[in-house]
Amino acid sequence: MGNKKQKAPARSLVLQRRETMVSYLFLLPALFFFVGFVITPMAMGVITSFTDASFTNPEGTFVGLKNYTRLFQDKIFLKSAVNTVIIVVVSVPAVTAFSLWVGSAIYKMRSGIRSFYRCVFYLPVVTGSVAVTVVWKWMFDKYDGLLNYIVKALGGQPLPWTSSEQMALWCIILILFTTSIGQPIVLYVAALGNVDASLEEAAKVDGANDFQVFWKIKWPSIMPTTLYVAVITTINSFQCFALIQLLTSGGPNYSTSTVMYLLYDIAFKTTKEFGYADAMGVVLAIVIALFSALQFKVMNGGTTE
Amino acid sequence: MKKVLSTVLATALVATTLAGCGGSKPAETTAAPAASEAPAATEAPAGDASSDVTEIVWWAFPTFGVDTGYEQELVDAFNAAHSEYKVKVEYIDFTSGPDKLTAALTSGTAPDILFDAPGRIIEFGNAGYLVSLDDMLNELKPDLTSESLVETCVGADGTAYMYPISSSPFYMGLNKEALEKADALQYVNLEGDRTWTTENFVKMCEALRDAAPTQVPAIVYCGGQGGDQGTRALVNNLYSSSITDADGKWNIDANGVKALELLKSMYDSKALDAGFDMAAADELQKFQQETCAMTFCFGTSSEVTYASEDYTQIAVPFPSDDGVPSLEYLVNGFCVFDNKDEARAEGAKEFIKFICDDAEWGPKSVIKTNAFPVRKSFGNPYEGDEHMAMLASWSQYYGPYYNTKDGFAAMRPLWFNALQQVFNGTPAQDVADEFNTAANAG
């Protein structure tokens, strides 16, 4: 009996080690892709950002921080950076608040109706950014677009939409908004549905009103979802690219150019300076990391402690 | 048992995933430049015991038209006549193709042949990605319809990188019925070679504005660099300016500023509109849909692509103050990428000679580009076609070719942004000064 008692932990350790090995084996394919398609390009990007690599000189020579100092003297980069920040600052709270509102409104509905709303809001997400942007482009058309047709029908003057420096960025934000709310709404519906009903009932028995129930019971319970939504929307907003490329190409007069778009423009379209474009990418990655860290900090890592 | 099963599952997962990674055959065919001492790309077709077949990859922009199947006809004919080569055609488009090319070149996965225009080809050549075609061009020179064509095919050091096949001018297109409704046809010269003046162009636009047969008379597109040669030709012709100065530097001169000011005043008076979010393709669509009554990016191909049964197209050269236009023009040609494999390069050269020079396929290919031959020996493939004869005669108005100059690619985004700034109210002189500084900064 005594021997059996001593051997049991040893066997368990061996088993544990083998299970760990098997787990790592299962992780290996994902790790392979992660290293090959995320870590390696990222490292290459950082290294290239310290060189003058370009289309004519793909290897490049080491130039230290020259690309980084140039960034802050580049008026177009600064304008693109401001546009990027505007997109993030406007779209993240708007997407989060709207998704929470829609989620709150539909999560208690009958399952058929709830599914209908989830489909409606999720449709732009699964449609694909190119198709969505092309449809929006038709709607924004200055001459024959649906929006100006409505404006004219209401007796107004046609608006320039994406042709206007003042309006174009807001058009981009509007499309980004419509394509960003689908996933957060689905997540909020699920998260709100998982809030412990007994807590709500107890709070109501104790005399809490609807606002107090929401603020003291539901909000803390869905905090991890809110953090996820905020971080993902922030990253997507920072990386907004396809719809700008398809809709405005960064114009008019760089009014819709973002860091992500400018990076592509520099690397593939205009001067083809890979080192300089990579420096933009590195700065963008750092800013995204800082924003995400800030969100974690402000939201206490998704907890209410 | 559980342990064995787990290990087998894990191994199977890894194996299938890795197998999935390596399954892309096409990448192999366009890929990895072989070492110079390595044998030629000899991937023989399945079932072929011979390993002496050199595989050549051709990336084709839709210069022969979209989905015409002509590229495959050429390939089949060449493959049948040259059993030592196997050409494979892959289609790219003008939207994503340039990015794919840049990525392929810098990652060493370039094709062997590209059919394109000098702007990109000479950029690739100057960057060291192309094989010299000096031997082929030297042989062709005596047969070229114009000596000036040589400068469109050579790089900064005089090396030939492009083997030309056809050429055609860029010009303006007008909607005849819209002009008639606005009584504006009187301002257009439909006689002879149809040259006309800036004064009449302005009057025509004003008449179109007043009668409004279309939503706007014209759209000066400035939302991207697609077809930007059209807007440059418009600006440069209005008061006979040039985009480069005597030293070859990029330059909007005093006459260019005057032209920009004229366009701005026409924009303010609604005699034309600015397409801030439009490139040439968008403007051509609006022309086809009769939203505007003219296009600034007409050519022999777009005449066909954007034809409409609802109205009659009129081709005219760009208007100028002295009535003598200076036209931009297109040259179609081929280049061969340097994949460090002589057999592939030789095969590629053989194939492009077949497309351009073969007695049967050469003239046929020229016609498929909707342009005019650059070889005197091909004569006039459009015999009896008065319209094509008139367009061919406009070669006398071809202006200096600047697409192969250093900094061309960097100048293009500055150009359309300069137009945007002018239409948004920045003084034309300030815009020109900024453009001249930025375009020559590299």
Side-chain angles (χ1 to χ4, degrees):
Chain A
M1 276 300 272
N3 275 351
K4 269 185 185 173
K5 271 184 185 170
Q6 280 170 353
K7 274 183 183 176
R11 209 170 43 222
S12 149
L13 262 179
V14 171
L15 197 65
Q16 245 180 8
R17 204 174 298 137
R18 282 180 183 169
E19 278 180 354
T20 309
M21 271 190 65
V22 171
S23 309
Y24 279 123
L25 263 177
F26 272 106
L27 285 175
L28 204 59
L31 188 70
F32 172 79
F33 280 105
F34 187 66
V35 171
F37 295 102
V38 178
I39 299 295
T40 309
M42 204 185 272
M44 285 167 70
V46 173
I47 293 166
T48 313
S49 72
F50 294 106
T51 69
D52 62 356
S54 66
F55 183 67
T56 50
N57 175 23
E59 300 301 319
T61 48
F62 183 74
V63 293
L65 292 171
K66 196 177 158 193
N67 288 329
Y68 290 92
T69 51
R70 184 181 153 194
L71 279 179
F72 297 99
Q73 292 154 2
D74 184 341
K75 278 194 289 183
I76 298 170
F77 173 77
L78 295 175
K79 191 166 186 177
S80 304
V82 169
N83 291 338
T84 310
V85 171
I86 291 173
I87 289 174
V88 172
V89 167
V90 174
S91 69
V92 175
V95 167
T96 311
F98 184 79
S99 309
L100 181 59
W101 175 62
V102 174
S104 306
I106 67 174
Y107 87 102
K108 276 186 175 169
M109 289 179 176
R110 280 192 290 127
S111 84
I113 300 171
R114 199 169 60 223
S115 296
F116 168 77
Y117 279 114
R118 276 196 296 218
C119 281
V120 167
F121 287 110
Y122 210 75
L123 210 57
V125 183
V126 293
T127 308
S129 53
V130 174
V132 169
T133 312
V134 168
V135 171
W136 275 103
K137 190 169 184 168
W138 290 336
M139 293 204 292
F140 282 135
D141 190 298
K142 189 169 139 184
Y143 306 104
D144 315 305
L146 178 69
L147 296 178
N148 271 349
Y149 178 80
I150 295 168
V151 170
K152 280 190 264 186
L154 295 172
Q157 284 294 313
L159 294 168
W161 304 111
T162 50
S163 295
S164 153
E165 271 191 59
Q166 288 73 35
M167 294 184 74
L169 191 65
W170 298 101
C171 295
I172 297 284
I173 290 172
L174 176 65
I175 304 175
L176 188 65
F177 177 82
T178 61
T179 55
S180 300
I181 53 173
Q183 200 185 21
I185 287 174
V186 171
L187 291 173
Y188 272 128
V189 168
L192 287 163
N194 285 334
V195 175
D196 193 343
S198 62
L199 291 176
E200 281 183 58
E201 283 162 18
K204 279 180 183 168
V205 168
D206 289 345
N209 59 28
D210 283 349
F211 177 76
Q212 286 169 321
V213 168
F214 176 80
W215 193 242
K216 298 287 183 186
I217 307 292
K218 291 181 187 170
W219 178 248
S221 304
I222 60 169
M223 191 53 114
T225 306
T226 303
L227 177 65
Y228 177 78
V229 167
V231 171
I232 291 297
T233 312
T234 303
I235 293 171
N236 287 343
S237 304
F238 267 118
Q239 295 185 338
C240 172
F241 170 75
L243 71 95
I244 292 174
Q245 189 201 16
L246 293 166
L247 201 67
T248 61
S249 299
N253 197 19
Y254 302 105
S255 63
T256 57
S257 176
T258 58
V259 175
M260 193 70 193
Y261 182 77
L262 187 66
L263 183 164
Y264 158 80
D265 209 38
I266 296 279
F268 288 99
K269 291 276 182 210
T270 56
T271 54
K272 297 182 181 172
E273 295 168 282
F274 304 144
Y276 187 48
D278 276 330
M280 289 183 193
V282 171
V283 169
L284 182 66
I286 292 170
V287 173
I288 291 176
L290 288 176
F291 260 75
S292 301
L294 186 71
Q295 284 167 334
F296 267 90
K297 184 82 182 159
V298 169
M299 298 185 195
N300 291 324
T303 67
T304 49
E305 286 161 18
Chain B
M1 188 61 202
K2 194 176 156 191
K3 184 179 68 186
V4 173
L5 189 66
S6 306
T7 314
V8 168
L9 275 174
T11 314
L13 188 59
V14 173
T16 48
T17 311
L18 293 180
C21 293
S24 176
K25 270 289 178 208
E28 221 172 83
T29 56
T30 60
S36 53
E37 68 275 16
T42 53
E43 199 183 334
D48 190 348
S50 165
S51 61
D52 297 332
V53 177
T54 303
E55 187 161 293
I56 297 158
V57 178
W58 170 24
W59 280 13
F61 281 115
T63 316
F64 285 130
V66 180
D67 297 332
T68 58
Y70 183 69
E71 289 88 352
Q72 196 56 52
E73 279 179 47
L74 276 169
V75 166
D76 293 342
F78 180 78
N79 286 343
H82 297 81
S83 56
E84 69 275 32
Y85 299 117
K86 185 187 171 205
V87 180
K88 196 178 154 198
V89 59
E90 291 176 13
Y91 301 93
I92 53 175
D93 61 70
F94 286 114
T95 309
S96 63
D99 298 353
K100 283 183 187 163
L101 275 165
T102 303
L105 286 170
T106 49
S107 60
T109 56
D112 297 295
I113 300 167
L114 179 73
F115 185 21
D116 201 357
R120 250 187 305 269
I121 288 180
I122 301 305
E123 186 194 4
F124 296 160
N126 288 339
Y129 292 108
L130 300 181
V131 166
S132 161
L133 302 178
D134 278 338
D135 51 341
M136 292 168 70
L137 192 68
N138 283 336
E139 217 173 289
L140 177 66
K141 272 179 192 172
D143 196 22
L144 283 176
T145 51
S146 162
E147 272 183 36
S148 65
L149 284 164
V150 174
E151 69 172 306
T152 67
C153 301
V154 299
D157 63 352
T159 306
Y161 292 119
M162 191 176 88
Y163 196 57
I165 180 169
S166 60
S167 169
S168 65
F170 289 112
Y171 43 92
M172 280 178 63
L174 306 175
N175 178 327
K176 190 181 175 192
E177 285 75 13
L179 263 68
E180 280 172 345
K181 277 181 204 163
D183 196 22
L185 203 55
Q186 57 175 315
Y187 302 116
V188 182
N189 171 26
L190 296 178
E191 303 297 321
D193 51 16
R194 299 186 176 177
T195 56
W196 57 322
T197 62
T198 302
E199 192 186 347
N200 280 335
F201 167 71
V202 176
K203 284 180 182 168
M204 177 190 74
C205 290
E206 287 171 349
L208 285 164
R209 174 200 60 198
D210 297 339
T214 52
Q215 287 194 48
V216 284
I219 302 169
V220 181
Y221 52 91
C222 49
Q225 58 190 48
D228 55 352
Q229 75 279 351
T231 52
R232 270 195 299 278
L234 174 68
V235 171
N236 291 334
N237 273 284
L238 288 173
Y239 291 107
S240 304
S241 59
S242 169
I243 193 69
T244 53
D245 64 12
D247 301 330
K249 288 188 172 174
W250 301 108
N251 183 48
I252 299 176
D253 62 15
N255 284 335
V257 171
K258 206 170 151 188
L260 290 171
E261 283 167 348
L262 174 69
L263 291 178
K264 171 69 166 107
S265 69
M266 291 175 77
Y267 172 66
D268 291 340
S269 68
K270 299 194 188 311
L272 52 78
D273 199 9
F276 289 99
D277 53 354
M278 287 185 175
D282 304 306
E283 184 243 20
L284 279 160
Q285 259 182 14
K286 293 296 175 200
F287 176 61
Q288 189 183 33
Q289 294 162 357
E290 300 190 74
T291 302
C292 55
M294 69 191 81
T295 171
F296 299 116
C297 194
F298 230 26
T300 47
S301 287
S302 44
E303 270 193 14
V304 178
T305 313
Y306 295 94
S308 169
E309 289 177 356
D310 299 332
Y311 65 94
T312 315
Q313 299 172 341
I314 303 176
V316 288
F318 283 90
S320 58
D321 53 346
D322 56 2
V324 182
S326 172
L327 299 182
E328 304 254 345
Y329 59 102
L330 164 80
V331 182
N332 295 308
F334 292 84
C335 65
V336 175
F337 289 101
D338 185 6
N339 284 315
K340 311 291 179 209
D341 185 327
E342 266 186 40
R344 281 168 70 183
E346 280 309 311
K349 285 163 89 171
E350 196 65 41
F351 180 56
I352 61 177
K353 266 188 183 172
F354 177 81
I355 300 173
C356 301
D357 298 325
D358 185 82
E360 181 194 350
W361 291 95
K364 213 190 254 189
S365 300
V366 170
I367 293 170
K368 281 284 174 188
T369 62
N370 281 312
F372 305 103
V374 296
R375 286 161 181 74
K376 287 183 229 164
S377 55
F378 282 9
N380 178 11
Y382 304 103
E383 204 65 61
D385 187 330
E386 277 182 31
H387 178 65
M388 289 302 266
M390 179 193 70
L391 296 179
S393 76
W394 288 354
S395 63
Q396 64 181 303
Y397 297 119
Y398 283 179
Y401 198 81
Y402 57 80
N403 296 23
T404 53
K405 285 189 185 300
D406 273 350
F408 173 70
M411 177 277 292
R412 297 180 71 190
L414 297 171
W415 172 258
F416 72 77
N417 277 296
L419 289 180
Q420 289 180 0
Q421 286 178 50
V422 169
F423 288 125
N424 269 329
T426 310
Q429 188 60 57
D430 294 355
V431 172
D433 292 344
E434 198 181 322
F435 172 90
N436 295 345
T437 307
N440 296 303

